[in-house]
Amino acid sequence: MADRQEQFDRIVASLYEAMLDDSLWPSAAALIDEAVGMRGNHLVVAEGPNFLFQQLTYRGERREELERWFAEYAAARDLRIPRIYGLPHGRLIPVRAMYTEKELKTSFGFNELLVRGEAQSGLNVRMDGAGLTIAWVMANPYETPAQGWSSDQLAMLAGLLPHIRQFVRVRQVVADAEAMVATLGDLLDNALLGVVQLDRQGTIVAANAVADAIVRRGDGLQARDRQLFARLNSDNTRLQALLSRALPRYGGRGLSGSMAIHRMSGAPYALHVCPVESRDASLGALGLAKVAAVVLIVDPEARPRLDPQRVASVLGLTRAEAKVAAALAEGWSVRDIAAAIHRAESTVRWNIKRIHAKLGVTRQADLVRMVLSAAGGVLAGR
């Protein structure tokens, strides 16, 4: 039992590291495969039809060729994919249960895609992710598939699901803020995300300009005696519990968590607390060597304001294409863009395809990164 708990704790710690650097996901995935006893897994995060993140790993090795084949060809032909969207949140479903008896014999998905992915006897699970669809596919277990999944394997997976979901939520926040692979010191320079760094006692070690402005406004979060508080008593009770779990008083493994912080006017802030283990020797010079947790604060009303003319000039887009690209980078939906420019949604989607082709990208996340870089966007209200 102690060995299982040690494996579980190692996995959770690796997930927290990967929140700030998703190149570390294969290492976390390898630990999961080993602990559960399965051949690999495939994690996909989507917003509508767009893939924001996908990594397919086998025993810790990322299989990018299979990822591309899945995204560009196989996903559209697998009858299982749209059915995943209808699965109940957090329920482990055998892959075979996603097909009819006839489809098990004839479908492309079961007889080609899942054979190539070694997952015909695998499991599927869908999780809600604050507007995201999180789909996680477990490949076949090491043992003979006919023996099925043991209760210990299923229990380990079920226990990991909340941590996988939290990894995705925080990872997406960090990616949206262009802060992926940032060191703790680099995070403090981020202009798209509020960052507060705490020591083991919950004392504020450092905060960036965005977080400082939020705390100074005091409409949702406040700081007293270098401690972080929420303005509303109900929010503060949850916040202090969240901080206590991330920074357990008597040591032990801290837990990540998220919540909404309500304010006097406007949409609530989204707040995420992430335990960290500082390994950056350069942090000592910055006074950050004792950082034990990072608090990330997202203001949904602080969108970057981008100059379409600059986007067009730098990226070689037409004026119309640049307007669409800038709006996407500002967080607008296709429906909102269509309404704003008085065009059909199909026209907007056609423009997005043309932009992808011109810039040589296939994912919306890559397009957004290019636009933000080209435009030098600033936060609204700065």
Side-chain angles (χ1 to χ4, degrees), residues 7-8 15 24 34 40 59 89 92 99 108 150 153 168 174 180 183 222 238 258 276 284 303 314-315 333 341 377:
Q7 284 181 312
F8 189 90
L15 289 173
L24 299 177
E34 180 183 356
R59 304 190 184 190
H89 166 74
L92 294 162
Y99 301 93
F108 164 85
S150 71
Q153 288 175 310
V168 169
V174 174
M180 194 59 65
T183 66
Q222 301 170 349
R238 291 187 61 200
S258 303
V276 297
R303 288 179 170 178
V314 174
L315 297 182
S333 68
I341 65 175

Side-chain angles (χ1 to χ4, degrees), residues 8-76:
F8 189 90
D9 290 345
R10 286 176 60 208
I11 292 169
V12 172
S14 69
L15 289 173
Y16 293 165
E17 291 182 349
M19 286 177 180
L20 299 179
D21 181 357
D22 58 21
S23 70
L24 299 177
W25 166 255
S27 298
L31 291 175
I32 294 171
D33 293 344
E34 180 183 356
V36 175
M38 60 189 187
R39 299 179 185 276
N41 67 83
H42 188 187
L43 180 63
V44 179
V45 182
E47 186 174 40
N50 300 306
F51 284 2
L52 302 179
F53 173 86
Q54 75 145 333
Q55 287 202 19
L56 192 155
T57 58
Y58 281 88
R59 304 190 184 190
E61 179 185 352
R62 186 175 178 187
R63 304 288 296 277
E64 295 188 61
E65 75 287 354
L66 281 182
E67 290 174 9
R68 289 192 293 270
W69 180 69
F70 173 79
E72 298 171 6
Y73 176 74

Side-chain angles (χ1 to χ4, degrees), residues 189-193 209-210 213 217 302-305 376-382:
D189 295 327
N190 193 277
L192 299 174
L193 190 64
V210 177
R217 283 197 295 271
R303 288 179 170 178
R305 292 174 177 166
V378 296
L379 280 177
R382 282 189 70 202

Side-chain angles (χ1 to χ4, degrees), residues 19 41 51 57 67 72 114 120 203 220 247 264 282 301 338:
M19 286 177 180
N41 67 83
F51 284 2
T57 58
E67 290 174 9
E72 298 171 6
L114 292 173
Q120 283 186 312
T203 302
L247 300 165
M264 289 181 284
S282 67
E301 297 186 352

Side-chain angles (χ1 to χ4, degrees), residues 96-323:
R96 290 176 179 272
M98 302 292 292
Y99 301 93
T100 66
E101 287 298 321
K102 181 179 179 181
E103 289 166 353
L104 288 174
K105 299 175 182 177
T106 63
S107 73
F108 164 85
F110 188 75
N111 294 285
E112 294 188 51
L113 171 59
L114 292 173
V115 168
R116 191 167 174 181
E118 298 183 52
Q120 283 186 312
S121 296
L123 300 169
N124 285 341
V125 66
R126 182 196 67 84
M127 292 173 275
D128 296 321
L132 306 174
T133 296
I134 306 168
W136 194 28
V137 179
M138 281 61 77
N140 298 342
Y142 289 150
E143 302 298 327
T144 305
Q147 295 177 351
W149 294 81
S150 71
S151 57
D152 283 349
Q153 288 175 310
L154 295 175
M156 174 69 83
L157 286 169
L160 286 172
L161 291 183
H163 299 285
I164 298 293
R165 180 174 182 258
Q166 183 67 7
F167 156 74
V168 169
R169 293 180 68 185
V170 176
R171 180 259 165 210
Q172 197 55 47
V173 166
V174 174
D176 288 345
E178 298 293 304
M180 194 59 65
V181 199
T183 66
L184 294 179
D186 291 338
L187 272 177
L188 294 175
D189 295 327
N190 193 277
L192 299 174
L193 190 64
V195 179
V196 179
Q197 298 179 341
L198 307 174
D199 67 13
R200 175 61 66 178
Q201 286 70 47
T203 302
I204 297 173
V205 175
N208 71 347
V210 177
D212 186 61
I214 289 172
V215 170
R216 286 179 182 277
R217 283 197 295 271
D219 62 342
L221 286 168
Q222 301 170 349
R224 298 193 300 273
D225 299 323
R226 296 176 63 198
Q227 302 284 318
L228 197 61
F229 297 90
R231 181 181 63 87
L232 294 177
N233 288 336
S234 56
D235 281 354
N236 193 53
T237 298
R238 291 187 61 200
L239 175 59
Q240 300 311 316
L242 206 64
L243 295 175
S244 294
R245 288 195 294 272
L247 300 165
R249 179 169 297 181
Y250 301 107
R253 179 70 61 191
L255 297 176
S256 176
S258 303
M259 66 174 292
I261 298 288
H262 298 87
R263 49 183 169 175
M264 289 181 284
S265 63
Y269 298 116
L271 182 144
H272 309 274
V273 183
C274 313
V276 297
E277 293 183 9
S278 175
R279 300 178 179 177
D280 189 344
S282 67
L283 293 180
L286 299 173
L288 304 178
K290 296 181 180 179
V291 173
V294 174
V295 179
L296 305 176
I297 311 163
V298 181
D299 183 352
E301 297 186 352
R303 288 179 170 178
R305 292 174 177 166
L306 306 179
D307 179 2
Q309 185 173 345
R310 179 173 174 81
V311 172
S313 174
V314 174
L315 297 182
L317 302 177
T318 67
R319 184 176 179 181
E321 290 167 347
K323 285 184 177 180

Side-chain angles (χ1 to χ4, degrees), residues 342-355:
H342 306 292
R343 296 289 188 273
E345 290 183 34
S346 59
T347 301
V348 174
R349 295 187 191 281
W350 179 77
N351 271 319
I352 293 173
K353 288 183 179 180
R354 281 178 55 86
I355 296 167

